[in-house]
Amino acid sequence: MTTIRQRRVGKGTEAAEDQPSEETNVKPDGKILPDPPGGKVWNILSITVGGIVAISLGLLTSVYVATLHENDLWFSNIKNHCRENNAAVPTVKFNQRKEQEVEREISFRTECGLYYSYYKQMIQAASIQQGLHGLVYDNKTESVRTINILERMNVYQEVFLSILYRILPIQQYLEPVYFYIYTLFGLQAVYVIALYVTSWLLSGTWLSGLLAACWYITNRVDTTRVEFTIPLRENWALPFFAVQIAAITYLLRNHLQPAQQRLTLMAVFIATFLFSLTWQFNQFMMLIQALALFILDCLDMLPTAKVTWLYLIQISGLLLVCVLQFFNSMILGSLLISFNVSVLIARKIQKNLKKGGLLNRFGKLILHVLLVLCLTLLINKFIKKILNLESDEHIFKFLKAKFGFGATRDFDANLYLCEEAFGLLPLNTFSRLSSTLLFYVYGFVLFLLTVAAVIVAFRNLSGSDQVHFKEKMEEYTVTLKPDAAYSLVHTVLFGCLALSTMRMKYLWTSHMCVFASFGLCSTEVWKLILKCLHLYTSQRTQVIKYSIPIITLLYISFKFWPGIMDELSELREFYDPDTVELMNWIKSNTPNTAVFAGSMQLLAGVKLCTGRTLTNHPHYEDKNLRERTKQIYQIYAKRSPGDVYGILRSFGTDYVILEDSICYERRHSRGCRLRDLLDVANGHIMDGLGENEPDLKPSLYPRFCEEIKKNLPSYTMHFTRVFQNKTFHVYKLAKHK
């Protein structure tokens, strides 16, 4: 039954002019006939031209984002002095070069600086072996604690890149920082090519890929942020995710030869593995992908055997990453592994899931979903109980509060809830996407394919032996190929994720470009529309299929080309003298073994620029670190100087950095300022006008970060101010016995 339905879907697809349909040369017995000589030549020519266009667009995108990064920071003007440290130069020039190096490094803000610091650490190590040993037995990232960086963080890409830089003969021609950022910009080429190929595979014409790439570039504000957050994990991971989606799209085509299928499965596995290795949120993204496969498999819209392979690839890829990360318990306790295992078990239990009439199958489907859900929760709870795993509990607290399942005073959950990046997708996003016509086309294609998917799903569940229904289907040729069905459910699920959490929009908007361009260049979409309007002819379909995308490309070019040229000509310069002054003071006036406390974001820069030991840092995926950070942040709460001193000394702190931008924060509204989150978590009323919950009490002490500046005896006996400028205040802790 499944095979027949798949062939019927294929017959509803017109062959594209520049790439033959999968069904064009198939005999009734399933054998594939050779292409006619003229068609083969045209096919080779089309693939060659399309491939050249794809590579050209990918390279142009890399140059584009690299130029924007240079124009924004004037990065090349910040000279690195690593190779000149031993030269006999005047003190003034030497200090100037030191300051320039710091400027370059602090341009990697927050967690970006933390990740880059491990690349720098590996580059500066005496040997590769010593550098790896320093990462496996790290005692500078978290004071009074030795941690395994390779286990805790996804930094294998920094390790690989540093080793590559050390062994290649390029040290005299290319500085380490440029090798790093050019690699990331180069991955943008891979990203764009993968999006291009996915759209090409879905539509059958490389014109669709060209449109997808152009939409990606013209909607850069909403599709990528690589030019100003270079080392961020998603910038490493998303190109591999796009490659994986392209490989899955090819895998879901009909009539693949066994060798083609094996090679494609290998490509899916490699891309899945690299995606999982480079981003700590991999399991959540692939869980959504697994849900898409599950939905389509239940509705009989994908071949079950291929879906099973994809489940196994996800599990094996994640387990291999788990081994490389020294059996990271957070991976073993992921919902993805529990879900995929549950699906495979449930399928064995319910062997006749896809047999019977509509009501019978619908009832079985409900039981199947409930069984998978219950098994997933039981397996996941069992694994977490055995491993005593609590690393990801803050994510579920955040989700629970975000979707209205009760208010919370949990500091970690509220820290996420109050960040704009974790809020709802702003409405102005849609106006920007609409200005390029992307959102209009996307909505149009989404509506049409959703209707088609509902019809096909109903047909599959009800059976295809109803003559009247079959005649109706033949009349309107409502079909949906497996790759198009996967793309539809993928974009819907990731769209829901983006709407609920703004930071995840980059997973949706890039695929939105693919989906919209595929629909605009799809024979099936235009054939369906024209048949509904009783205007269908094959020639008319082909004319519309090519003319509408070309008109759209011309519109985008004329409207946005001048703006892109203006953007490329706009020159700015990175300027943060207060932070530069702080970092230079730390390097010159504190011992190498000094331990610093402060905000997570600032301390990442302290580690990168000075190499000093930290009390806490921005990589928040560890329960002990989250508890430690909350304790360190009492410097911005209403606590006594003795309490704060005791907390800081318990983590071996020698110096604490206070920031006026946090102590007197105005960026967030009342209730979301860091000091407010700390007050509520401590049971204290918040500052300023406004309501407080009835059980909150006034604190017995003033706010520490404000009161310490008055140099009162109760504070000076514990803390001595040793540095200050307009932004930062550094205090040295007394060494009491």
Side-chain angles (χ1 to χ4, degrees), residues 5 47 411 708:
R5 279 200 289 269
I47 291 174
F411 176 76
I708 193 174

Side-chain angles (χ1 to χ4, degrees), residues 591-712:
N592 292 335
T593 56
V595 177
F596 278 80
S599 70
M600 296 184 289
Q601 294 79 5
L602 179 63
L603 289 184
V606 170
K607 184 180 188 310
L608 172 59
C609 297
T610 72
R612 300 304 188 263
T613 305
L614 314 180
T615 55
N616 54 309
H617 54 82
H619 195 272
Y620 219 48
E621 315 307 318
D622 179 76
K623 184 181 181 182
N624 290 328
L625 177 65
R626 292 194 296 272
E627 292 174 349
R628 175 185 284 222
T629 298
K630 181 182 175 183
Q631 290 299 307
I632 295 294
Y633 276 5
Q634 297 303 310
I635 58 178
Y636 297 109
K638 299 172 182 176
R639 297 290 294 269
S640 71
D643 287 348
V644 174
Y645 176 82
I647 291 169
L648 294 176
R649 287 302 298 162
S650 69
F651 298 118
T653 308
D654 297 311
Y655 298 87
V656 59
I657 307 173
L658 295 172
E659 300 170 64
D660 287 346
S661 58
I662 298 178
C663 190
Y664 307 107
E665 182 184 0
R666 293 181 178 86
R667 184 169 68 94
H668 291 105
S669 59
R670 184 177 184 270
C672 269
R673 300 169 299 189
L674 179 62
R675 61 180 186 268
D676 297 334
L677 303 184
L678 291 164
D679 288 343
V680 171
N682 293 339
H684 300 152
I685 60 173
M686 294 182 288
D687 294 337
L689 298 175
E691 296 183 357
N692 288 283
E693 294 185 29
D695 59 328
L696 296 178
K697 307 295 181 185
S699 173
L700 298 176
Y701 302 98
R703 194 166 303 283
F704 177 84
C705 63
E706 296 176 359
E707 201 70 8
I708 193 174
K709 296 171 186 174
K710 298 178 181 178
N711 292 323
L712 299 175

Side-chain angles (χ1 to χ4, degrees), residues 14-27:
E14 291 283 334
E17 286 186 6
D18 59 351
Q19 183 170 321
S21 169
E22 300 168 18
E23 306 294 339
T24 304
N25 299 316
V26 180
K27 284 185 174 183

